Amino acid sequence: DHADNAAGGQREGQVFKQQLVAIGFGQVGRFDHLAAKAFRHLNNARYIDYFMVAREDQLAQFYNFRIFDAAQLNNHGWVVTKTKIAYLAPAMMQEQVIIRTQLIHMSDSKLVVEGQMLNQTGQRLKSVVWIEFAYVDLATGRTGQHPDSLMDLFRAVVVDDVYAQPYDERVDNLKAAFRKPAAEPSTT
C-alpha cells in the first residue's frame, strides 16, 4: 500500500497490526449517545477507547499476549500517562474503520504505541494517536521495570524511527503520505 511505505515506520518484513472495527458495535460495546455527537460521528473522547481495545485485541491475536493475564501473573501492568491525538476526519456512525497500531518506543519502564484510524479501504487517515504507558507495580502504584522477557518481546517489534520525529511532524508526514495518489501498477 502506498501510504504504508510513504508513511515510514516500517522495517523489512514488518507490518502494522490492524483490524476492521465497526464504529459503535462490537469492540467497545453498543452504539449509544456517549459514542456519537449530534453530527452522527464518533465523539472525540471515544476514539481512545477504540484504539485501546484494538491494541489489546491485536496483542492477543498476533502475539498471544493478554495484558490482564500478564498483570495478574506479574502483579505489574501498564497505565496510560499521556496521549496525543489528532482528529483528521470524522468516523461516522456505523462506519467500518481500520485501526492499526505499532510499538514506537520502549524503555525499561515506559512504552509508546502509535495508533492510526483509517477508512474501510485504508485510503483515508481519520486519526493518529500516540499513547504513552508506564509499567507499574499494581500493589504500590509505583513505576516498575519491565522484566527481560518483555524487553525481548518489545525489542523484536518496536519500530525505532517513528518516535524520533516530533508528534506534529509525524502527523503532517502521515497526512502528506495519504494525500499522494497510489502508483499505477506496471504493465510490463
Side-chain angles (χ1 to χ4, degrees):
D1 177 58
H2 76 281
D4 286 341
N5 296 331
Q10 302 293 311
R11 289 191 301 212
E12 186 64 34
Q14 186 174 33
V15 296
F16 277 103
K17 301 307 177 199
Q18 66 183 31
Q19 68 195 95
L20 191 64
V21 177
I23 295 299
F25 298 96
Q27 295 295 331
V28 175
R30 68 179 177 81
F31 188 80
D32 58 27
H33 68 284
L34 294 175
K37 291 184 173 184
F39 305 111
R40 301 185 48 83
H41 63 80
L42 187 63
N43 183 300
N44 288 4
R46 296 296 304 272
Y47 278 73
I48 294 171
D49 292 339
Y50 279 90
F51 281 116
M52 295 286 287
V53 170
R55 182 64 179 173
E56 181 184 334
D57 290 348
Q58 292 162 8
L59 289 172
Q61 178 182 353
F62 296 106
Y63 301 106
N64 196 30
F65 184 80
R66 288 165 180 73
I67 294 171
F68 296 108
D69 292 348
Q72 285 183 332
L73 182 66
N74 300 318
N75 201 36
H76 282 74
W78 293 269
V79 296
V80 174
T81 57
K82 189 184 307 180
T83 57
K84 297 177 182 179
I85 189 165
Y87 304 98
L88 306 173
M92 303 308 291
M93 186 171 70
Q94 298 185 4
E95 176 183 11
Q96 292 201 355
V97 297
I98 295 170
I99 295 178
R100 57 190 195 182
T101 67
Q102 61 182 353
L103 180 64
I104 61 169
H105 179 74
M106 56 169 270
S107 73
D108 61 349
S109 62
K110 179 173 84 170
L111 300 175
V112 179
V113 171
E114 176 179 85
Q116 297 177 12
M117 183 182 289
L118 311 167
N119 68 346
Q120 185 173 0
T121 64
Q123 299 300 308
R124 184 168 188 203
L125 185 63
K126 292 180 169 284
S127 183
V128 180
V129 67
W130 282 7
I131 305 172
E132 181 178 299
F133 299 89
Y135 192 63
V136 298
D137 182 314
L138 298 178
T140 67
R142 295 182 189 269
T143 302
Q145 291 195 336
H146 293 120
D148 290 340
S149 59
L150 288 177
M151 292 298 287
D152 291 342
L153 172 64
F154 302 153
R155 280 186 203 98
V157 300
V158 68
V159 181
D160 294 315
D161 57 335
V162 174
Y163 193 67
Q165 300 174 55
Y167 174 77
D168 290 334
E169 182 179 318
R170 172 68 172 161
V171 171
D172 289 343
N173 289 339
L174 286 169
K175 289 186 329 189
F178 278 90
R179 278 194 299 265
K180 291 180 183 175
E184 291 296 318
S186 175
T187 57
T188 57

